[in-house]
Amino acid sequence: MAFSTQAGKFLGQRPTAATSAFFQCDIQEVFRPVMANFSQLEATAKFLNTVAKELAIPVLSTEQIPFITEGKNTPPCLRDDHITFFHKKLFSMCTDEVKGWLTERPGVKDIYLYGIETHICVLQTSLDLLRMNYNVYLVVDAAFSQRDCDRTVALNRLERSGVVLTTAESAVFEILGEAGTPVFKACLPAVKELGNFHRNSLKHKALTGKGNSKEAKENI
């Protein structure tokens, strides 16, 4: 197996577009009013989905059925024709339908996971995928909980269990592997867009002095 349950011991083949899949977990509008980091989550997930489309990486997204009401589902910017959507009642994304989707893609070994909430649906999905012998990468700048304590404890547990913690840009550049290629150049606009989002967020905080406001408490 490529992963180890001892933190820091992960070593395997470098992930490629051909071996990867992106899992977008329950990013729904119902969380926007109660989650300080929602704008960062939305921007980072959009970046990952855009890159996945350029690299032909399959993207699977779930929505939690109790929250699927008008105006409470996945934001429009995170919906696209290259993303496969499933509804679920389980907290884990690994429903029978999702397992079937994975079975149809035997080349997928590396799964990049992002979404809501880190300590519930993201955690249970990660552990289920490990049990299914996938290499699991958690994109920490696109995985949040309403409470920092829940997220921190979940990240610690997941890392100890064998999940690889990464960031969106680090993950994408690892998959790309080299600069100057046509696919690298195709991904650059998305990289710049995410960079602009972070720069504008910092400028907004500096100009408004809202370093302690709800929206300004975004941390990676």
Side-chain angles (χ1 to χ4, degrees):
M1 298 169 65
F3 66 86
S4 168
T5 55
Q6 299 180 40
K9 297 296 185 181
F10 181 93
L11 184 64
Q13 297 294 319
R14 182 176 65 82
T16 67
T19 65
S20 299
F22 286 6
F23 272 33
Q24 177 175 273
C25 182
D26 301 354
I27 304 179
Q28 294 168 252
E29 288 287 353
V30 68
F31 290 104
R32 189 184 293 275
V34 297
M35 189 164 292
N37 314 86
F38 196 90
S39 62
Q40 176 183 330
L41 170 62
E42 186 177 36
T44 311
K46 179 184 176 184
F47 164 72
L48 290 165
N49 294 346
T50 301
V51 169
K53 188 172 185 177
E54 293 292 346
L55 300 181
I57 295 173
V59 182
L60 183 148
S61 184
T62 56
E63 293 177 321
Q64 193 72 20
I65 287 178
F67 299 142
I68 299 177
T69 55
E70 186 67 29
K72 299 296 183 181
N73 52 10
T74 304
C77 68
L78 301 183
R79 307 186 73 93
D80 203 315
D81 56 9
H82 74 288
I83 302 174
T84 302
F85 276 83
F86 292 104
H87 295 164
K88 66 183 181 67
K89 291 183 179 179
L90 293 179
F91 294 123
S92 172
M93 295 176 73
C94 296
T95 63
D96 288 342
E97 286 182 312
V98 171
K99 289 177 181 177
W101 184 91
L102 284 168
T103 299
E104 294 171 358
R105 293 162 176 81
V108 170
K109 309 296 180 186
D110 307 296
I111 296 181
Y112 290 82
L113 179 61
Y114 45 99
I116 300 172
E117 291 191 61
T118 311
H119 65 296
I120 303 175
C121 297
V122 171
L123 182 143
Q124 292 186 36
T125 301
S126 297
L127 297 179
D128 280 348
L129 290 170
L130 286 176
R131 295 182 186 110
M132 295 163 65
N133 293 330
Y134 287 99
N135 304 320
V136 182
Y137 297 80
L138 179 59
V139 184
V140 297
D141 51 344
F144 292 103
S145 298
Q146 295 179 57
R147 291 173 292 275
D148 288 340
C149 178
D150 288 330
R151 180 175 183 266
T152 299
V153 171
L155 291 178
N156 288 336
R157 179 183 175 188
L158 288 168
E159 188 171 32
R160 291 197 305 270
S161 299
V163 173
V164 179
L165 305 187
T166 188
T167 64
E169 192 169 279
S170 177
V172 166
F173 276 76
E174 184 175 16
I175 291 171
L176 286 169
E178 62 178 309
T181 63
V183 289
F184 174 83
K185 293 176 181 178
C187 292
L188 281 180
V191 174
K192 293 177 180 177
E193 182 179 359
L194 183 62
N196 288 336
F197 168 82
H198 287 296
R199 282 188 290 274
N200 290 336
S201 295
L202 289 173
K203 288 178 182 178
H204 177 75
K205 293 172 189 178
L207 290 172
T208 62
K210 292 183 178 180
N212 293 320
S213 70
K214 179 181 177 182
E215 190 63 25
K217 288 181 180 177
E218 300 183 355
N219 44 67
I220 297 173

